[in-house]
Amino acid sequence: MAYTLNINGESRTIDAAEGTPLLWVLRDDLKLTGTKFGCGIAACGACTVMMNGEPVRSCQQKVETLEGAEITTIEGVSGNIASAVQQAWAELNVVQCGYCQSGQIVQAIGLLTENPKPNADDIDTYMSGNVCRCATYQRIRGAVLRASEIMEA
């Protein structure tokens, strides 16, 4: 069936079976491979994208429910908050293997959109659904704090 989705500010028409997760539409149909498959059950956060300004797990979003939604992948993040997060990630050399980072970055953008001045506990709570196999949690927390400072400057 044909669905028209708003992905990264562009209207995209795709043909997918009902029940197809957004993750597979992004990766297989649209070739937006920055969003990663981690677990398929919304437990790891590797597939996190923004939907209507909120971080969601794309592995759990069915294509037939997405018409009219504004979906932003790691390839489409932009604006002051996204720039601050990307700058902080680079400054603090957060990435180790990198597999989880697109989901971590999108989640961090969601946090800073909601709470521009989080403390360490706020960060740990908000980011807790995003798993890092390399355990770079200290660097991730530091980068979110640094992004908050960059935004304030």
Side-chain angles (χ1 to χ4, degrees):
M1 181 161 191
Y3 298 96
T4 302
L5 306 177
N6 181 339
I7 309 284
N8 297 331
E10 253 183 72
S11 181
R12 306 287 297 264
T13 300
I14 55 98
D15 188 37
E18 186 174 321
T20 301
L22 174 60
L23 174 63
W24 301 123
V25 169
L26 295 173
R27 292 184 59 78
D28 295 346
D29 298 328
L30 301 177
K31 306 303 181 206
L32 295 170
T33 57
T35 302
K36 304 300 183 198
F37 171 74
C39 66
I41 59 170
C44 74
C47 70
T48 303
V49 299
M50 293 295 239
M51 186 168 70
N52 299 324
E54 298 287 327
V56 298
R57 306 305 187 243
S58 64
C59 69
Q60 298 298 299
Q61 306 302 314
K62 304 301 182 204
V63 68
E64 66 271 13
T65 68
L66 300 173
E67 290 197 79
E70 292 183 22
I71 299 159
T72 306
T73 68
I74 190 67
E75 292 91 347
V77 297
S78 63
N80 293 337
I81 296 172
S83 293
V85 170
Q86 291 165 335
Q87 180 182 334
W89 246 248
E91 280 181 15
L92 297 179
N93 197 24
V94 172
V95 179
Q96 192 161 321
C97 87
Y99 198 83
C100 71
Q101 293 306 301
S102 59
Q104 298 280 2
I105 289 168
V106 171
Q107 190 77 15
I109 293 167
L111 167 58
L112 292 169
T113 299
E114 186 178 308
N115 179 0
K117 294 183 180 183
N119 61 37
D121 289 338
D122 296 333
I123 295 166
D124 291 347
T125 299
Y126 198 92
M127 301 294 291
S128 68
N130 291 72
V131 178
C132 176
R133 298 174 197 182
C134 303
T136 63
Y137 299 112
Q138 297 294 332
R139 287 189 280 187
I140 291 167
R141 182 187 307 123
V144 174
L145 291 169
R146 176 66 182 127
S148 177
E149 292 170 358
I150 294 166
M151 289 166 42
E152 194 172 25

